[in-house]
Amino acid sequence: MSWDTELTAVTSRIADRLFKRPEPKATFGDLVRRLLADVPRKNSWQLADHVGHPTANPIEWLLARAKWDADALRDDVRAYVVEHLVSTDGVLIADDTQAIKKDDRSVGVARQYCGLTGQVENCQVMPMLTYASAVGHAFINRRLYLPENWADDEERRKVAGVPERVTFATKPQQVIDMLEEERRAGTPFRYLAADSGYGRDLGLRAYCHTHQIAYVMAVPVGLPLLDVRGSGERAGHVLDRLLAHADPGLWERRSCGEGSKGRRAYDWAAVAVALAGQVPSGGHAHTLLIGRSVSDSVDVEFFLSHALTGTPITELITVAGLRWKIEGNNETGKDLLGLTDYQVRKWDGWHRHVTTAMLALAFLAVSRADLGDQTTPEPVPPAADQGKDPRHRESLS
């Protein structure tokens, strides 16, 4: 089946479930197709011009005023991704991305930390959830973060169409909510992966412990731990002790996959740890993974894993590396598919545009998987101690 025929089949099947009338079905198909097209900036006017519409009214009406459920589309995107990309090694990856905006009238826009620039910007923050496996990776869920000054402002909420059920929630809480939706939907996954903004959150970790969800999440150097005497210490102290031993056998060189700057080769150490105030699920154990960059010894990352006792450390390192897949989704979504090129201001319009862009990304991921277009990893140069297993060399539990 050709690319064009498959895209028509996918969009038509979904549109038949979302809409009753032929006009929105046709506009929806046009929108997905044009998000995938070579259009410089994918706002309503440029997309309409590419379709050949005299105005942007059909697309703007679809996103802002038509009656349809963006969550139903999200469910279809999830089902499509799981159907084609599911694998026994499937991982859910949580991260947030940002859309820089000039005005403060669009829903959720406020001066807040922006990961794109590393400083405070006028922007929207979007926690996203990716499904990743050896077959491919794509977004399956999304949230729009509402800062407290938005969530508590009844007038702004009313103008932006924010539903009454929506209250202030931290970004980690929004990830918890998405995980609960994935559990209810039966999404098959083995691990949750995330960066330190989520790994440091007590509530998210507690949710995973309660529901026996395995995870590998980046954590800060100051993560509170317990030493062998039950006294408090930090993750950084574990690294200090490993370096003081000066034993190369404690480290193993491996790649954790592709990052934003290319192949990520690290020397890894793994230590069994106990968390202050948190215990793992039954049959699970906590392990602190420490990765030192081969090219820059100052570049050190800490990961906390919660996995079945006896899980190979190599498996945990692989999961840590998969965290970067969501960066690829963010970049592709923004650079190629107009993920943040929307001109909508209200709650419904935001969810409709972003979820439609998620469908476009899912279609690309599935098409690539069908073509067998998987990048072959470059070999990692061996370290002198390659092949040794440093697991549990030092027990803090």
Side-chain angles (χ1 to χ4, degrees), residues 168-226:
F168 173 73
T170 64
K171 291 184 283 291
Q173 180 59 53
Q174 290 183 308
V175 169
I176 291 173
D177 294 340
M178 288 191 285
L179 286 174
E180 184 64 20
E181 289 172 350
E182 299 313 314
R183 289 181 63 248
R184 292 178 179 176
T187 304
F189 66 98
R190 291 188 65 193
Y191 287 93
L192 168 68
D195 69 11
S196 62
Y198 297 98
R200 67 167 43 126
D201 188 76
L202 288 168
L204 177 56
R205 297 201 308 260
Y207 176 86
C208 292
H209 300 157
T210 298
H211 296 283
Q212 295 190 323
I213 295 174
Y215 61 72
V216 180
M217 296 192 282
V219 290
V221 64
L223 177 73
L225 301 171
L226 298 176

Coordinates of all heavy atoms in Angstrom, one line a residue, residues 168-226:
F168 N -5.5 23.2 39.4 CA -4.0 23.3 39.3 C -3.4 21.9 39.6 O -3.9 21.2 40.6 CB -3.5 24.3 40.3 CG -2.0 24.3 40.4 CD1 -1.2 24.8 39.4 CD2 -1.4 23.7 41.5 CE1 0.2 24.8 39.4 CE2 0.0 23.7 41.6 CZ 0.8 24.2 40.6
A169 N -2.5 21.5 38.8 CA -1.7 20.3 39.1 C -0.3 20.5 38.7 O 0.0 21.2 37.7 CB -2.3 19.1 38.3
T170 N 0.6 20.0 39.5 CA 2.0 20.1 39.1 C 2.3 19.3 37.9 O 1.5 18.4 37.5 CB 3.0 19.6 40.3 OG1 2.7 18.2 40.5 CG2 2.7 20.4 41.5
K171 N 3.4 19.5 37.2 CA 3.8 18.7 36.1 C 3.9 17.2 36.4 O 3.4 16.3 35.7 CB 5.0 19.3 35.4 CG 4.7 20.6 34.7 CD 5.9 21.1 34.0 CE 7.0 21.7 34.9 NZ 6.5 23.0 35.5
P172 N 4.6 16.8 37.5 CA 4.6 15.4 37.9 C 3.2 14.8 38.2 O 3.0 13.7 37.8 CB 5.5 15.4 39.2 CG 6.4 16.6 39.0 CD 5.5 17.6 38.4
Q173 N 2.3 15.6 38.8 CA 1.0 15.1 39.0 C 0.3 14.9 37.6 O -0.5 13.9 37.5 CB 0.2 16.1 39.8 CG -1.3 15.7 40.1 CD -1.4 14.3 40.8 OE1 -0.8 14.1 41.8 NE2 -2.1 13.4 40.2
Q174 N 0.6 15.7 36.7 CA 0.0 15.5 35.3 C 0.5 14.2 34.7 O -0.2 13.5 34.0 CB 0.2 16.7 34.4 CG -0.5 18.0 34.9 CD -0.3 19.1 33.9 OE1 0.8 19.5 33.6 NE2 -1.4 19.7 33.4
V175 N 1.8 13.9 35.0 CA 2.3 12.7 34.5 C 1.6 11.5 35.2 O 1.3 10.5 34.5 CB 3.8 12.6 34.6 CG1 4.4 11.2 34.4 CG2 4.5 13.6 33.7
I176 N 1.4 11.6 36.5 CA 0.7 10.6 37.2 C -0.7 10.4 36.6 O -1.1 9.2 36.3 CB 0.5 10.9 38.7 CG1 1.9 10.9 39.4 CG2 -0.5 10.0 39.4 CD1 1.9 11.4 40.8
D177 N -1.4 11.5 36.3 CA -2.7 11.4 35.6 C -2.6 10.6 34.3 O -3.5 9.8 34.0 CB -3.3 12.7 35.5 CG -3.6 13.4 36.8 OD1 -3.7 12.7 37.8 OD2 -3.8 14.7 36.8
M178 N -1.6 10.9 33.5 CA -1.4 10.3 32.2 C -1.1 8.8 32.4 O -1.6 7.9 31.7 CB -0.4 11.0 31.4 CG -0.8 12.3 30.8 SD 0.3 13.0 29.6 CE 1.7 13.6 30.6
L179 N -0.3 8.5 33.4 CA 0.0 7.1 33.7 C -1.2 6.3 34.1 O -1.4 5.1 33.6 CB 1.1 7.0 34.8 CG 2.5 7.3 34.4 CD1 3.4 7.3 35.7 CD2 3.1 6.3 33.4
E180 N -2.1 6.9 34.8 CA -3.3 6.3 35.2 C -4.2 6.0 34.0 O -4.8 5.0 33.9 CB -4.1 7.2 36.2 CG -5.4 6.6 36.8 CD -5.1 5.3 37.6 OE1 -4.0 5.1 38.1 OE2 -6.1 4.5 37.8
E181 N -4.2 7.0 33.1 CA -5.0 6.8 31.8 C -4.4 5.6 31.0 O -5.1 4.8 30.4 CB -5.0 8.1 31.0 CG -5.8 9.2 31.6 CD -5.7 10.5 30.9 OE1 -4.8 10.6 30.1 OE2 -6.5 11.4 31.2
E182 N -3.1 5.5 31.0 CA -2.5 4.4 30.2 C -2.7 3.1 30.9 O -3.0 2.1 30.2 CB -0.9 4.7 30.1 CG -0.6 5.9 29.4 CD -1.3 6.1 28.1 OE1 -1.5 5.1 27.3 OE2 -1.9 7.2 27.8
R183 N -2.7 3.0 32.2 CA -3.0 1.8 32.9 C -4.5 1.4 32.6 O -4.8 0.2 32.4 CB -2.9 2.0 34.4 CG -1.4 2.1 34.9 CD -1.3 2.2 36.4 NE -1.8 1.1 37.1 CZ -2.9 1.0 37.8 NH1 -3.6 2.1 38.0 NH2 -3.3 -0.1 38.4
R184 N -5.4 2.3 32.7 CA -6.8 2.0 32.4 C -7.0 1.6 30.9 O -7.9 0.7 30.7 CB -7.7 3.2 32.7 CG -7.7 3.5 34.2 CD -8.6 4.7 34.5 NE -8.7 5.0 35.9 CZ -9.3 6.1 36.4 NH1 -9.9 7.0 35.6 NH2 -9.3 6.3 37.8
A185 N -6.2 2.1 30.0 CA -6.3 1.8 28.6 C -5.6 0.5 28.3 O -5.8 0.0 27.2 CB -5.7 2.9 27.8
G186 N -4.9 0.0 29.3 CA -4.2 -1.3 29.0 C -2.9 -1.2 28.1 O -2.5 -2.1 27.5
T187 N -2.4 0.0 28.1 CA -1.2 0.2 27.3 C 0.0 -0.6 27.8 O 0.3 -0.5 29.0 CB -0.7 1.7 27.4 OG1 -1.8 2.5 26.9 CG2 0.5 2.0 26.5
P188 N 0.6 -1.5 27.0 CA 1.6 -2.4 27.5 C 3.0 -1.7 27.6 O 3.4 -1.2 26.6 CB 1.6 -3.5 26.5 CG 1.1 -2.9 25.2 CD 0.2 -1.8 25.6
F189 N 3.6 -1.7 28.7 CA 4.9 -1.1 28.9 C 5.6 -1.7 30.0 O 5.0 -2.2 31.0 CB 4.9 0.4 29.0 CG 4.2 0.9 30.3 CD1 5.0 1.3 31.4 CD2 2.8 1.0 30.5 CE1 4.4 1.7 32.6 CE2 2.3 1.4 31.6 CZ 3.1 1.8 32.7
R190 N 7.0 -1.8 30.0 CA 7.8 -2.4 31.0 C 8.3 -1.4 32.0 O 8.6 -1.7 33.2 CB 8.9 -3.2 30.4 CG 8.4 -4.4 29.6 CD 9.6 -5.2 29.2 NE 10.3 -5.8 30.4 CZ 11.6 -6.3 30.3 NH1 12.2 -6.4 29.1 NH2 12.1 -6.8 31.4
Y191 N 8.6 -0.2 31.5 CA 9.2 0.8 32.4 C 8.7 2.2 32.1 O 8.1 2.5 31.0 CB 10.8 0.9 32.1 CG 11.6 -0.3 32.6 CD1 11.8 -1.4 31.8 CD2 12.1 -0.3 33.9 CE1 12.6 -2.4 32.2 CE2 12.9 -1.3 34.4 CZ 13.1 -2.4 33.5 OH 13.9 -3.4 34.0
L192 N 8.9 3.1 33.1 CA 8.7 4.5 32.9 C 10.1 5.1 32.9 O 10.9 4.8 33.8 CB 7.9 5.1 34.0 CG 7.8 6.7 34.1 CD1 7.1 7.3 32.9 CD2 7.2 7.1 35.4
A193 N 10.4 6.0 32.0 CA 11.6 6.8 32.0 C 11.3 8.3 32.0 O 10.3 8.7 31.4 CB 12.5 6.4 30.7
A194 N 12.2 9.1 32.6 CA 11.9 10.5 32.7 C 13.2 11.2 33.2 O 14.1 10.6 33.6 CB 10.8 10.8 33.7
D195 N 13.2 12.5 33.0 CA 14.4 13.3 33.5 C 14.2 13.7 35.0 O 13.3 13.3 35.6 CB 14.6 14.5 32.6 CG 13.5 15.6 32.8 OD1 12.7 15.5 33.7 OD2 13.5 16.6 32.0
S196 N 15.2 14.4 35.5 CA 15.3 14.6 36.9 C 14.1 15.5 37.4 O 13.8 15.5 38.6 CB 16.6 15.3 37.3 OG 16.8 16.5 36.7
G197 N 13.5 16.3 36.6 CA 12.4 17.1 37.0 C 11.2 16.2 37.5 O 10.4 16.6 38.3
Y198 N 11.2 15.0 37.0 CA 10.2 14.0 37.4 C 10.7 13.0 38.4 O 10.0 12.6 39.3 CB 9.5 13.4 36.2 CG 8.8 14.4 35.3 CD1 9.5 14.9 34.2 CD2 7.5 14.8 35.6 CE1 8.8 15.8 33.4 CE2 6.9 15.7 34.8 CZ 7.5 16.3 33.7 OH 6.9 17.2 32.9
G199 N 12.0 12.6 38.1 CA 12.6 11.6 39.0 C 12.7 12.0 40.5 O 12.7 11.2 41.4
R200 N 12.8 13.4 40.7 CA 13.0 13.8 42.1 C 11.7 13.9 42.8 O 11.6 14.1 44.0 CB 13.6 15.2 42.0 CG 12.7 16.3 41.4 CD 13.2 17.7 41.7 NE 14.6 17.9 41.5 CZ 15.2 18.8 40.7 NH1 14.4 19.6 39.9 NH2 16.5 18.9 40.6
D201 N 10.5 13.7 42.1 CA 9.2 14.0 42.7 C 8.8 12.8 43.5 O 8.6 11.6 43.0 CB 8.2 14.2 41.6 CG 6.9 14.7 42.2 OD1 6.8 15.8 42.6 OD2 5.9 13.8 42.3
L202 N 8.6 13.0 44.8 CA 8.2 11.9 45.8 C 6.8 11.3 45.4 O 6.6 10.1 45.4 CB 8.1 12.5 47.2 CG 9.4 12.8 47.9 CD1 9.1 13.6 49.1 CD2 10.1 11.5 48.2
G203 N 5.9 12.2 44.9 CA 4.6 11.7 44.6 C 4.6 10.7 43.4 O 3.9 9.7 43.4
L204 N 5.3 11.1 42.4 CA 5.4 10.2 41.2 C 6.0 8.9 41.5 O 5.6 7.8 41.1 CB 6.2 11.0 40.1 CG 6.4 10.2 38.8 CD1 5.1 9.7 38.2 CD2 7.2 11.0 37.8
R205 N 7.1 8.9 42.3 CA 7.8 7.7 42.7 C 6.8 6.8 43.5 O 6.8 5.6 43.4 CB 9.1 8.0 43.4 CG 10.1 8.7 42.6 CD 11.5 8.5 43.1 NE 11.7 8.8 44.5 CZ 12.2 9.9 45.0 NH1 12.6 10.9 44.2 NH2 12.3 10.1 46.3
A206 N 6.1 7.5 44.5 CA 5.2 6.7 45.3 C 4.1 6.1 44.5 O 3.7 4.9 44.8 CB 4.6 7.7 46.4
Y207 N 3.6 6.8 43.5 CA 2.6 6.2 42.6 C 3.1 4.9 41.9 O 2.4 3.9 41.9 CB 2.1 7.2 41.6 CG 1.2 6.7 40.5 CD1 -0.2 6.7 40.8 CD2 1.6 6.1 39.3 CE1 -1.1 6.2 39.9 CE2 0.7 5.6 38.4 CZ -0.6 5.6 38.7 OH -1.5 5.1 37.8
C208 N 4.3 5.0 41.4 CA 5.0 3.9 40.8 C 5.2 2.7 41.7 O 4.9 1.5 41.4 CB 6.3 4.2 40.2 SG 6.1 5.4 38.8
H209 N 5.6 3.0 43.0 CA 5.7 1.9 44.0 C 4.4 1.3 44.3 O 4.3 0.0 44.4 CB 6.3 2.5 45.3 CG 7.7 3.1 45.0 ND1 8.2 4.1 45.9 CD2 8.6 3.0 44.1 CE1 9.4 4.5 45.4 NE2 9.6 3.8 44.3
T210 N 3.4 2.1 44.4 CA 2.0 1.5 44.8 C 1.5 0.6 43.7 O 0.9 -0.4 44.0 CB 1.0 2.7 45.0 OG1 1.5 3.5 46.1 CG2 -0.4 2.2 45.3
H211 N 1.8 1.0 42.4 CA 1.2 0.2 41.3 C 2.2 -0.7 40.6 O 2.0 -1.2 39.5 CB 0.6 1.2 40.3 CG -0.5 2.0 40.8 ND1 -1.8 1.5 40.9 CD2 -0.6 3.3 41.3 CE1 -2.6 2.4 41.5 NE2 -1.9 3.5 41.7
Q212 N 3.3 -0.9 41.3 CA 4.4 -1.8 40.8 C 4.8 -1.5 39.4 O 5.0 -2.3 38.5 CB 3.9 -3.3 40.9 CG 3.7 -3.8 42.3 CD 3.4 -5.2 42.4 OE1 2.8 -5.8 41.6 NE2 4.0 -5.9 43.5
I213 N 5.1 -0.2 39.2 CA 5.6 0.3 37.9 C 7.1 0.4 38.0 O 7.6 1.1 38.9 CB 5.0 1.6 37.5 CG1 3.4 1.5 37.3 CG2 5.6 2.2 36.3 CD1 2.7 2.8 37.1
A214 N 7.8 -0.3 37.2 CA 9.3 -0.2 37.1 C 9.6 1.1 36.4 O 8.9 1.6 35.5 CB 9.9 -1.4 36.4
Y215 N 10.7 1.7 36.9 CA 11.1 3.0 36.3 C 12.6 3.1 36.3 O 13.3 2.5 37.1 CB 10.5 4.2 37.0 CG 10.8 4.4 38.5 CD1 12.0 4.8 38.9 CD2 9.8 4.2 39.4 CE1 12.3 5.0 40.2 CE2 10.0 4.3 40.8 CZ 11.3 4.8 41.2 OH 11.6 5.0 42.5
V216 N 13.1 3.9 35.4 CA 14.5 4.4 35.4 C 14.4 5.9 35.2 O 14.2 6.3 34.0 CB 15.4 3.7 34.4 CG1 16.8 4.3 34.5 CG2 15.4 2.2 34.6
M217 N 14.6 6.7 36.2 CA 14.4 8.2 36.1 C 15.7 8.9 36.5 O 16.3 8.5 37.5 CB 13.2 8.7 36.9 CG 11.9 8.1 36.4 SD 10.4 8.9 37.1 CE 10.4 8.1 38.7
A218 N 16.1 9.9 35.8 CA 17.2 10.8 36.2 C 16.8 11.4 37.5 O 15.6 11.7 37.8 CB 17.5 11.8 35.1
V219 N 17.8 11.6 38.4 CA 17.6 12.2 39.7 C 18.7 13.2 39.9 O 19.8 13.1 39.3 CB 17.6 11.2 40.8 CG1 16.3 10.3 40.7 CG2 18.8 10.3 40.8
P220 N 18.5 14.2 40.8 CA 19.6 15.2 41.1 C 20.6 14.6 42.0 O 20.4 13.6 42.7 CB 18.8 16.3 41.8 CG 17.6 15.6 42.4 CD 17.2 14.5 41.5
V221 N 21.8 15.3 42.0 CA 22.9 14.9 42.8 C 22.6 14.9 44.3 O 23.1 14.1 45.0 CB 24.1 15.8 42.5 CG1 23.9 17.2 42.9 CG2 25.4 15.2 43.2
G222 N 21.6 15.7 44.6 CA 21.2 15.8 46.0 C 20.1 14.8 46.4 O 19.5 15.0 47.5
L223 N 19.8 13.8 45.6 CA 18.7 12.9 46.0 C 19.0 12.3 47.4 O 20.0 11.7 47.7 CB 18.7 11.7 45.0 CG 17.6 10.6 45.3 CD1 16.2 11.1 45.0 CD2 17.9 9.4 44.5
P224 N 18.0 12.4 48.3 CA 18.2 11.9 49.7 C 18.2 10.3 49.7 O 17.3 9.7 49.2 CB 17.0 12.4 50.5 CG 16.4 13.5 49.6 CD 16.7 13.1 48.2
L225 N 19.2 9.7 50.3 CA 19.4 8.3 50.5 C 19.7 8.0 51.9 O 19.9 8.9 52.7 CB 20.5 7.8 49.6 CG 20.4 8.0 48.1 CD1 21.7 7.7 47.4 CD2 19.2 7.3 47.5
L226 N 19.7 6.7 52.2 CA 20.1 6.2 53.5 C 21.4 5.4 53.4 O 21.5 4.5 52.5 CB 19.0 5.4 54.2 CG 17.7 6.1 54.4 CD1 16.7 5.0 55.0 CD2 17.9 7.2 55.4

